[in-house]
Amino acid sequence: GTLGFKIWNLEFPNRVGLGAGFDKNARYLNELEALGFGFVEVGTVTPLPQAGNDKPRLFRLPKDKALINRMGFNNDGVEKVAQRLIKWREKQLAFGSQHSHNGNGLQTANCKLIIGGNIGKNKVTPNEDAWKDYEICFNALHPYVDYFVVNVSSPNTPGLRELQEKDSLRKILTHLQNENEKFENKKPILLKIAPDLSNDQIDDVINLALEIKLDGLVASNTTISRDGLVTQNSKLDAIGNGGLSGLPLKERSTVVVKYICKKTDGKIPVIASGGIFTGDDAKEKINAGASLVQVWTGFIYEGPSIVKKICKSININ
């Protein structure tokens, strides 16, 4: 249909995806597809299983239409997640073959849920060895995801954001690109960045991305800023550390998307994430230059109809 969107040689059923950190362990793909998502980013996945930070670790700020989380990459580990994706893919194939006699089997085959794999490092892995963790996850998930996102921008793994520094990034990303060459089907590799980067830091990321021909950027992760919130400071102090997401992030996220797209002359595709609640919010991101959008906090506050509402809105115009 007209909703479909093609990029990286992938056929997205629509441009609205679910950001990473929701279906961390690839458990709900059928359900999420039924809600209308065009793509789902699973993870963040680490090589070894992790319990994550102590609970409570997810907090609602209803007055701000925001969330604060400090999950800490809780996940079942890459082997379990890969196994789950294998099972899901097998079911998809079996289901697809039953339905291919309807005369437009090709269209249905092309319009299937796209899966992204968001990869990170274990908390105990020192930063100088981080590249090995990304390699492990990349190779284990490679046959079962459609694209990869390298997550160096979560505020909830100590020291992780230091990996956004240009030399650390170059090492991790070029290594994954080399690994990618070993596979017959190459998978797009994207980088997810923090909204808290300065313009100089974003410039470093852009220059590196152009230099190594990175496939795309995801802008952005959660923020450590607490500026301009309605929620009272006493409540914020009680909640403590974590990444803030939702409506307060909308403006900054759009600014970052626009900055990247302008600076690269649209040469680097961007997935926009941050404060998308409505069709107009999604259009704002697309007008800023984003190719695709992801919801997360908006999904929590607006409910499951958010995807179809946004798709309808994008499609009208």
Side-chain angles (χ1 to χ4, degrees):
T2 45
L3 281 175
F5 185 77
K6 196 167 183 185
I7 188 168
W8 303 303
N9 245 346
L10 293 171
E11 193 83 41
F12 285 76
N14 65 62
R15 290 162 81 157
V16 183
L18 180 60
F22 189 95
D23 194 5
K24 285 174 175 284
N25 295 305
R27 288 178 175 276
Y28 308 112
L29 298 175
N30 292 332
E31 292 82 350
L32 293 166
E33 186 172 28
L35 293 181
F37 283 103
F39 62 110
V40 171
E41 208 170 289
V42 301
T44 297
V45 181
T46 58
L48 301 171
Q50 285 192 161
N53 293 322
D54 292 344
K55 296 176 181 178
R57 54 194 184 185
L58 179 62
F59 309 88
R60 294 191 187 210
L61 280 53
K63 288 179 187 162
D64 289 293
K65 282 193 154 183
L67 300 172
I68 290 174
N69 92 80
R70 51 165 176 273
M71 307 300 281
F73 289 171
N74 55 307
N75 76 108
D76 295 340
V78 74
E79 284 169 30
K80 269 228 172 95
V81 174
Q83 283 304 313
R84 239 172 243 138
L85 288 168
I86 290 169
K87 283 200 175 117
W88 182 75
R89 293 248 177 242
E90 282 168 354
K91 276 190 185 144
Q92 295 283 103
L93 283 172
F95 185 73
S97 59
Q98 289 165 21
H99 289 260
S100 56
H101 62 261
N102 64 6
N104 71 352
L106 278 177
Q107 278 96 315
T108 35
N110 285 343
C111 259
K112 62 178 200 319
L113 181 67
I114 297 283
I115 308 294
N118 186 298
I119 56 177
K121 78 163 192 76
N122 282 115
K123 187 178 179 179
V124 296
T125 305
N127 272 5
E128 58 268 25
D129 294 334
W131 64 274
K132 296 177 190 170
D133 276 16
Y134 289 97
E135 177 189 358
I136 291 165
C137 294
F138 184 79
N139 285 322
L141 294 178
H142 197 283
Y144 316 115
V145 301
D146 297 298
Y147 72 90
F148 280 96
V149 176
V150 173
N151 184 0
V152 288
S153 52
S154 165
N156 301 319
T157 294
L160 187 78
R161 285 186 164 196
E162 290 160 25
L163 296 174
Q164 291 178 109
E165 198 265 318
K166 199 174 184 183
D167 291 333
S168 308
L169 264 189
R170 184 188 274 107
K171 179 169 188 176
I172 293 166
L173 295 172
T174 53
H175 187 71
L176 293 182
Q177 287 179 323
N178 291 336
E179 292 297 309
N180 210 8
E181 289 304 313
K182 299 175 186 174
F183 291 91
E184 196 182 342
N185 289 327
K186 319 270 177 278
K187 300 287 160 84
I189 301 170
L190 289 78
L191 173 70
K192 187 168 186 174
I193 61 170
D196 307 316
L197 297 181
S198 66
N199 282 0
D200 284 349
Q201 288 173 308
I202 298 174
D203 288 344
D204 274 352
V205 167
I206 287 170
N207 293 334
L208 177 65
L210 290 168
E211 178 199 324
I212 69 175
K213 298 186 167 61
L214 193 68
D215 295 294
L217 293 168
V218 184
S220 68
N221 215 312
T222 58
T223 181
I224 54 174
S225 163
R226 298 291 185 264
D227 293 345
L229 298 178
V230 183
T231 303
Q232 55 274 49
N233 285 330
S234 58
K235 186 177 174 183
L236 294 173
D237 293 342
I239 289 172
N241 289 341
L244 178 91
S245 61
L247 212 53
L249 194 56
K250 180 170 94 155
E251 196 182 333
R252 174 62 185 162
S253 165
T254 300
V255 166
V256 173
V257 170
K258 200 174 273 177
Y259 186 82
I260 294 165
C261 296
K262 263 220 171 83
K263 273 252 162 164
T264 62
D265 204 22
K267 283 189 187 73
I268 299 175
V270 174
I271 299 179
S273 165
I276 300 169
F277 286 70
T278 65
D280 284 344
D281 296 341
K283 278 190 276 203
E284 175 183 295
K285 296 289 196 260
I286 290 167
N287 292 339
S291 301
L292 301 160
V293 298
Q294 289 179 330
V295 298
W296 204 121
T297 305
F299 182 43
I300 304 299
Y301 281 100
E302 298 294 312
S305 63
I306 186 172
V307 193
K308 292 187 170 149
K309 282 181 184 157
I310 291 176
C311 284
K312 200 172 175 180
S313 173
I314 293 174
N315 210 33
I316 290 164
N317 300 302

